[in-house]
Amino acid sequence: MDEALRPTPDATWVLEHDGYNVLTESALESRFALSNGFLGVRASRAVSRGPTWVSWLGYVKWASWPRCYVAGLFDRPNTEPPVPALVPVADWSRVRIVLDGQPQLLADGKTLLGCRRLDMHRGLLLGELIHRSTNGITVEGDELRLVSLADRAAAMQILRFTLDRDGIDVKLEATFAMAGMGMEPERMEPNLGAWRAEGSGKGVAMAGHATLRVGGAVLVPERPFSLRWIWQWRSIAGQRVELDRLVAVARADMPGFDPAPVAAAALERNRVLGWRGMLAAHTTAWRERWQAGDIVIEGDEEMQRAVRFAVYHLTSAANPQDERVSVGARALTGDAYFGHVFWDTEIYLLPFYTAVWPEAARAMLMYRFHTLPAARAKAAAMGFKGALYAWESADTGEETTPARVVGPDGAMVDILTGSMEIHISADIAYAVWQYWRVTGDDAFMRDAGVEILIETARFWVSRAVAEADGARHIRHVIGPDEYHEDVDDNAYTNVLARWNLARALDAVAMLRARRPEHAAAMAVKLRLADSELDDWRDAAARIPTGLDPATGRYEQFAGYDRREPIDLRQYADRKVPIDVVLGRARTQASQVVKQADVVALIGLLPEAFPGAAAEANFRYYEPRCAHGSSLSAGMHALVAARLGDTAMALRFLRQAAEADLEPDPNSAGGIRIAGLGGVWQAVVLGFAGLDLGGEAISLKPQLPPGWRRLSFAVRWRGRALHLGITGRAVRVALTEGPATAIAIAGTTHQLSPGAALEVNVPTRVS
Ligand code: IFM
């Protein structure tokens, strides 16, 4: 086997799966998916007939779902109800092998080995196949697939195989299988295809190049159609067959723009590199990203692999070069949620990008800046001022939440999140502020961040109207706990709304002090008067929070405490979500929480929980949470770790990590990237106790049982740091940037460039 096709030897970098299981194949395709933030490809088997379904019960379920995606390529396909959705592009990884006239479908004959490996270190999908056909011919081969992190337009596939017989008529076809879904062909040439989405007018061009060598000699292909290569020869036993396929893709956002020359140029520059050059550039790019983002856990191999899996997908999902897209709930690994972007990005993913890859974080926040006009339009359409961001957002930022969907029981269910889950505006404001605090990117704050803060603050003042009791209630909302719809004064929403208003005031004051001419221009552009700021102050003080000063506990929403308490321990063995067990009506009438809600608030704004309040709130809400969302466990792990309950935190961390690593049918539609962001947060912000939001970096580590050492890298205000934590000491090295202070377990130390700081602190390892 070519060395390049061998996986990284260290098992903590590699996920391996042998075989094909109709029940779990689709989840596996998500788990092993490749992406570079622009292109995504699910890890479907190359030798296949494409989408495979199971339908003997009268409904269709996808067993295998080969899909390739291009970030930002949205259209309004035939979904019901019609909402913009990410449209798949041609599957460029499929091959067809025909032996003596018989297509080799892996369902026939015997697959002796059908192994797929995700080499996370090098960002590769590796395959190994030994298949014996029904007429006894054995095909033995390897595959390598990548989407380039060095050149996001490019992807490639390398296939190597041998046959064990002489004299077989072999036909090999390398195809680009178009997925349909309303993509109309515009241009079909031998090495290039271009399609246009019927509804949105967006376009995509794909250029391809394939070569085949048999026994070292290049074979000339037949080219009957665009992007299809067919080779035929007579086999010699043991003779090496080598297929190299390069792909280059370009997106067109406007109907008049032709993406074909861009794709053709990308193909050409990668052809010049050749597959080894492409592979080298790609693995170098991955090495650099791992240097910036790897987490090393000594003493817990399972969590080590799980954390690398999280960082692998987080790294794969982002594209710092494209401000017109952001990361959808399933990234570019599956169709669920149509590629829509939720609060997941700002609350669950941005902490990772901000600390590890600020350029990627900035691009995602710029996406929110570019979609401000749609957020303003949504607020205006609902009778409010400022900006109310879409709960589900595609390319333009308009609201794309379906108004109703078919529920699990076959009945139509109204979806209220699009109009009621308004905390999204404060979530985005929160991410803007955190990004600026951690990076010190004043230019971003000045040119984009302040405007987002102002417009989201304006929304809250207009939404929170003073009532007879003197309070400015925020009624008819859904908090993160989506089991409870149409509630009043959700604590998460209201506390973050107040915080949003306070930060908008801070931002305006800062701009006035530091850049008066810019502040003046902004005031003119946004028609911002001083009297408006008084209203912000008033709202920030009078929006109710639900805090009971006697207990320090927030009521999750008005009337929550009067709902039926349910002992979730009685349902611990359930295999389905609690709302399915209890029924929708009873769940809504109960105190069962779908996912971290007040607990998420503790994670985001610890300062709102002084003294014993964080503990009191966590101990109250944790047993009430049914974790009906993959976002929940990671946030609970983070908060439990900060509270020092490291055993519980580790339990939640394992739960969060398992979501996409176990054969969970929910990941068939793509990996749950927010849950993976939660894994990173639980480890770095939880167990390491890192806080990058203050005037100095701060660390309060408490390692969980069994962990001997935890180390990772972060960036902070133009500096790069490497931190290592053991049961007894913390070691910090400032590897880039000027000297700074760091607080470790409450004591401040000076960090100098190049010199490592070692501090003895007992960091509990119980
Ligand atoms: O944003 C989440 C929501 O909080 C719970 N349901 C799934 C959405 C997308 O991940």
Side-chain angles (χ1 to χ4, degrees), residues 642-667:
R642 282 200 188 138
L643 289 173
D645 191 340
T646 54
M648 179 186 267
L650 189 58
R651 263 201 324 276
F652 277 124
L653 178 62
R654 288 196 199 286
Q655 195 178 318
E658 274 164 13
D660 286 318
L661 278 171
E662 297 290 312
D664 179 343
N666 284 322
S667 41

mmCIF file of all heavy atoms in Angstrom, residues 642-667:
data_model
loop_
_atom_site.group_PDB
_atom_site.id
_atom_site.type_symbol
_atom_site.label_atom_id
_atom_site.label_comp_id
_atom_site.label_asym_id
_atom_site.label_seq_id
_atom_site.Cartn_x
_atom_site.Cartn_y
_atom_site.Cartn_z
ATOM 1 N N ARG A 642 -17.297 23.954 36.340
ATOM 2 C CA ARG A 642 -16.976 25.220 37.014
ATOM 3 C C ARG A 642 -17.372 25.187 38.484
ATOM 4 O O ARG A 642 -16.751 25.823 39.323
ATOM 5 C CB ARG A 642 -17.700 26.370 36.323
ATOM 6 C CG ARG A 642 -17.032 26.803 35.037
ATOM 7 C CD ARG A 642 -17.494 28.200 34.713
ATOM 8 N NE ARG A 642 -17.052 28.636 33.412
ATOM 9 C CZ ARG A 642 -17.817 29.313 32.561
ATOM 10 N NH1 ARG A 642 -19.073 29.614 32.877
ATOM 11 N NH2 ARG A 642 -17.337 29.713 31.410
ATOM 12 N N LEU A 643 -18.447 24.442 38.771
ATOM 13 C CA LEU A 643 -18.897 24.360 40.170
ATOM 14 C C LEU A 643 -18.065 23.348 40.956
ATOM 15 O O LEU A 643 -18.279 23.155 42.150
ATOM 16 C CB LEU A 643 -20.377 23.963 40.226
ATOM 17 C CG LEU A 643 -21.352 25.041 39.757
ATOM 18 C CD1 LEU A 643 -22.770 24.482 39.689
ATOM 19 C CD2 LEU A 643 -21.310 26.259 40.687
ATOM 20 N N GLY A 644 -17.161 22.668 40.293
ATOM 21 C CA GLY A 644 -16.273 21.730 40.990
ATOM 22 C C GLY A 644 -16.820 20.324 41.081
ATOM 23 O O GLY A 644 -16.197 19.462 41.685
ATOM 24 N N ASP A 645 -17.981 20.068 40.473
ATOM 25 C CA ASP A 645 -18.508 18.704 40.487
ATOM 26 C C ASP A 645 -17.942 17.988 39.260
ATOM 27 O O ASP A 645 -18.622 17.790 38.242
ATOM 28 C CB ASP A 645 -20.044 18.734 40.460
ATOM 29 C CG ASP A 645 -20.637 17.360 40.756
ATOM 30 O OD1 ASP A 645 -19.906 16.363 40.606
ATOM 31 O OD2 ASP A 645 -21.828 17.296 41.115
ATOM 32 N N THR A 646 -16.683 17.619 39.374
ATOM 33 C CA THR A 646 -15.992 17.109 38.191
ATOM 34 C C THR A 646 -16.510 15.738 37.755
ATOM 35 O O THR A 646 -16.472 15.416 36.571
ATOM 36 C CB THR A 646 -14.471 17.045 38.443
ATOM 37 O OG1 THR A 646 -14.248 16.283 39.616
ATOM 38 C CG2 THR A 646 -13.868 18.415 38.585
ATOM 39 N N ALA A 647 -16.996 14.947 38.709
ATOM 40 C CA ALA A 647 -17.513 13.617 38.331
ATOM 41 C C ALA A 647 -18.776 13.779 37.489
ATOM 42 O O ALA A 647 -18.931 13.150 36.441
ATOM 43 C CB ALA A 647 -17.782 12.791 39.579
ATOM 44 N N MET A 648 -19.668 14.668 37.944
ATOM 45 C CA MET A 648 -20.891 14.889 37.166
ATOM 46 C C MET A 648 -20.537 15.531 35.811
ATOM 47 O O MET A 648 -21.092 15.165 34.767
ATOM 48 C CB MET A 648 -21.866 15.803 37.923
ATOM 49 C CG MET A 648 -23.125 16.062 37.147
ATOM 50 S SD MET A 648 -24.218 17.270 37.908
ATOM 51 C CE MET A 648 -25.287 16.218 38.852
ATOM 52 N N ALA A 649 -19.597 16.444 35.841
ATOM 53 C CA ALA A 649 -19.197 17.122 34.601
ATOM 54 C C ALA A 649 -18.664 16.105 33.589
ATOM 55 O O ALA A 649 -18.984 16.173 32.405
ATOM 56 C CB ALA A 649 -18.135 18.178 34.903
ATOM 57 N N LEU A 650 -17.881 15.154 34.076
ATOM 58 C CA LEU A 650 -17.333 14.147 33.164
ATOM 59 C C LEU A 650 -18.441 13.266 32.594
ATOM 60 O O LEU A 650 -18.418 12.907 31.416
ATOM 61 C CB LEU A 650 -16.286 13.295 33.901
ATOM 62 C CG LEU A 650 -15.466 12.348 33.030
ATOM 63 C CD1 LEU A 650 -14.707 13.090 31.936
ATOM 64 C CD2 LEU A 650 -14.482 11.541 33.874
ATOM 65 N N ARG A 651 -19.422 12.973 33.434
ATOM 66 C CA ARG A 651 -20.565 12.178 32.936
ATOM 67 C C ARG A 651 -21.270 12.919 31.809
ATOM 68 O O ARG A 651 -21.557 12.368 30.744
ATOM 69 C CB ARG A 651 -21.556 11.938 34.079
ATOM 70 C CG ARG A 651 -21.385 10.602 34.746
ATOM 71 C CD ARG A 651 -22.605 10.121 35.493
ATOM 72 N NE ARG A 651 -23.421 11.074 36.176
ATOM 73 C CZ ARG A 651 -23.204 11.554 37.401
ATOM 74 N NH1 ARG A 651 -22.117 11.194 38.063
ATOM 75 N NH2 ARG A 651 -24.037 12.416 37.965
ATOM 76 N N PHE A 652 -21.513 14.209 32.017
ATOM 77 C CA PHE A 652 -22.177 14.999 30.966
ATOM 78 C C PHE A 652 -21.285 15.142 29.737
ATOM 79 O O PHE A 652 -21.766 15.145 28.603
ATOM 80 C CB PHE A 652 -22.566 16.382 31.491
ATOM 81 C CG PHE A 652 -23.869 16.385 32.248
ATOM 82 C CD1 PHE A 652 -23.945 16.864 33.547
ATOM 83 C CD2 PHE A 652 -25.024 15.902 31.654
ATOM 84 C CE1 PHE A 652 -25.160 16.865 34.241
ATOM 85 C CE2 PHE A 652 -26.233 15.898 32.334
ATOM 86 C CZ PHE A 652 -26.298 16.382 33.627
ATOM 87 N N LEU A 653 -19.991 15.274 29.977
ATOM 88 C CA LEU A 653 -19.082 15.411 28.838
ATOM 89 C C LEU A 653 -19.118 14.145 27.976
ATOM 90 O O LEU A 653 -19.168 14.214 26.747
ATOM 91 C CB LEU A 653 -17.651 15.676 29.335
ATOM 92 C CG LEU A 653 -16.592 15.793 28.240
ATOM 93 C CD1 LEU A 653 -16.869 16.972 27.313
ATOM 94 C CD2 LEU A 653 -15.195 15.939 28.846
ATOM 95 N N ARG A 654 -19.130 12.992 28.624
ATOM 96 C CA ARG A 654 -19.192 11.733 27.863
ATOM 97 C C ARG A 654 -20.502 11.676 27.070
ATOM 98 O O ARG A 654 -20.530 11.271 25.916
ATOM 99 C CB ARG A 654 -19.107 10.521 28.797
ATOM 100 C CG ARG A 654 -17.732 10.320 29.385
ATOM 101 C CD ARG A 654 -17.559 8.927 29.986
ATOM 102 N NE ARG A 654 -16.429 8.916 30.912
ATOM 103 C CZ ARG A 654 -15.150 8.943 30.544
ATOM 104 N NH1 ARG A 654 -14.840 8.976 29.272
ATOM 105 N NH2 ARG A 654 -14.189 8.947 31.453
ATOM 106 N N GLN A 655 -21.571 12.102 27.729
ATOM 107 C CA GLN A 655 -22.885 12.108 27.057
ATOM 108 C C GLN A 655 -22.838 13.010 25.812
ATOM 109 O O GLN A 655 -23.316 12.637 24.745
ATOM 110 C CB GLN A 655 -23.923 12.619 28.049
ATOM 111 C CG GLN A 655 -25.347 12.364 27.666
ATOM 112 C CD GLN A 655 -26.284 12.873 28.764
ATOM 113 O OE1 GLN A 655 -26.035 12.706 29.970
ATOM 114 N NE2 GLN A 655 -27.359 13.529 28.368
ATOM 115 N N ALA A 656 -22.248 14.181 25.978
ATOM 116 C CA ALA A 656 -22.170 15.122 24.850
ATOM 117 C C ALA A 656 -21.316 14.536 23.734
ATOM 118 O O ALA A 656 -21.661 14.626 22.554
ATOM 119 C CB ALA A 656 -21.576 16.446 25.323
ATOM 120 N N ALA A 657 -20.206 13.923 24.117
ATOM 121 C CA ALA A 657 -19.271 13.408 23.119
ATOM 122 C C ALA A 657 -19.849 12.207 22.378
ATOM 123 O O ALA A 657 -19.602 12.015 21.179
ATOM 124 C CB ALA A 657 -17.958 13.025 23.789
ATOM 125 N N GLU A 658 -20.637 11.406 23.100
ATOM 126 C CA GLU A 658 -21.172 10.186 22.490
ATOM 127 C C GLU A 658 -22.206 10.472 21.397
ATOM 128 O O GLU A 658 -22.420 9.661 20.508
ATOM 129 C CB GLU A 658 -21.852 9.320 23.559
ATOM 130 C CG GLU A 658 -20.882 8.402 24.266
ATOM 131 C CD GLU A 658 -21.460 7.840 25.552
ATOM 132 O OE1 GLU A 658 -22.689 7.968 25.762
ATOM 133 O OE2 GLU A 658 -20.679 7.301 26.341
ATOM 134 N N ALA A 659 -22.863 11.628 21.490
ATOM 135 C CA ALA A 659 -24.008 11.891 20.618
ATOM 136 C C ALA A 659 -23.722 11.528 19.158
ATOM 137 O O ALA A 659 -24.535 10.884 18.505
ATOM 138 C CB ALA A 659 -24.434 13.339 20.735
ATOM 139 N N ASP A 660 -22.568 11.937 18.653
ATOM 140 C CA ASP A 660 -22.279 11.648 17.247
ATOM 141 C C ASP A 660 -21.268 10.533 17.066
ATOM 142 O O ASP A 660 -20.971 10.147 15.936
ATOM 143 C CB ASP A 660 -21.772 12.917 16.552
ATOM 144 C CG ASP A 660 -22.917 13.894 16.323
ATOM 145 O OD1 ASP A 660 -24.005 13.451 15.934
ATOM 146 O OD2 ASP A 660 -22.717 15.096 16.563
ATOM 147 N N LEU A 661 -20.739 10.017 18.160
ATOM 148 C CA LEU A 661 -19.767 8.923 18.036
ATOM 149 C C LEU A 661 -20.434 7.560 18.142
ATOM 150 O O LEU A 661 -19.920 6.566 17.646
ATOM 151 C CB LEU A 661 -18.701 9.059 19.125
ATOM 152 C CG LEU A 661 -17.579 10.046 18.785
ATOM 153 C CD1 LEU A 661 -16.693 10.304 19.990
ATOM 154 C CD2 LEU A 661 -16.739 9.543 17.623
ATOM 155 N N GLU A 662 -21.560 7.533 18.814
ATOM 156 C CA GLU A 662 -22.320 6.291 18.904
ATOM 157 C C GLU A 662 -23.253 6.235 17.697
ATOM 158 O O GLU A 662 -23.575 7.275 17.118
ATOM 159 C CB GLU A 662 -23.156 6.291 20.189
ATOM 160 C CG GLU A 662 -22.307 6.330 21.458
ATOM 161 C CD GLU A 662 -21.565 5.039 21.693
ATOM 162 O OE1 GLU A 662 -22.204 3.983 21.608
ATOM 163 O OE2 GLU A 662 -20.348 5.075 21.921
ATOM 164 N N PRO A 663 -23.722 5.041 17.329
ATOM 165 C CA PRO A 663 -24.627 4.975 16.167
ATOM 166 C C PRO A 663 -26.017 5.513 16.495
ATOM 167 O O PRO A 663 -26.988 4.785 16.528
ATOM 168 C CB PRO A 663 -24.646 3.488 15.808
ATOM 169 C CG PRO A 663 -24.156 2.779 17.008
ATOM 170 C CD PRO A 663 -23.386 3.720 17.859
ATOM 171 N N ASP A 664 -26.117 6.789 16.767
ATOM 172 C CA ASP A 664 -27.382 7.430 17.120
ATOM 173 C C ASP A 664 -28.109 7.828 15.829
ATOM 174 O O ASP A 664 -27.549 8.560 15.013
ATOM 175 C CB ASP A 664 -27.053 8.671 17.960
ATOM 176 C CG ASP A 664 -28.286 9.447 18.378
ATOM 177 O OD1 ASP A 664 -29.350 9.227 17.779
ATOM 178 O OD2 ASP A 664 -28.168 10.271 19.289
ATOM 179 N N PRO A 665 -29.336 7.337 15.619
ATOM 180 C CA PRO A 665 -30.028 7.659 14.358
ATOM 181 C C PRO A 665 -30.197 9.159 14.145
ATOM 182 O O PRO A 665 -30.347 9.619 13.010
ATOM 183 C CB PRO A 665 -31.389 6.968 14.505
ATOM 184 C CG PRO A 665 -31.485 6.488 15.904
ATOM 185 C CD PRO A 665 -30.114 6.469 16.499
ATOM 186 N N ASN A 666 -30.131 9.953 15.222
ATOM 187 C CA ASN A 666 -30.292 11.394 15.053
ATOM 188 C C ASN A 666 -29.154 12.042 14.285
ATOM 189 O O ASN A 666 -29.283 13.155 13.806
ATOM 190 C CB ASN A 666 -30.411 12.079 16.416
ATOM 191 C CG ASN A 666 -31.781 11.850 17.007
ATOM 192 O OD1 ASN A 666 -32.766 11.858 16.293
ATOM 193 N ND2 ASN A 666 -31.823 11.590 18.301
ATOM 194 N N SER A 667 -28.011 11.352 14.215
ATOM 195 C CA SER A 667 -26.941 11.984 13.446
ATOM 196 C C SER A 667 -26.958 11.536 11.980
ATOM 197 O O SER A 667 -26.078 11.904 11.218
ATOM 198 C CB SER A 667 -25.561 11.798 14.094
ATOM 199 O OG SER A 667 -25.395 10.517 14.601
#
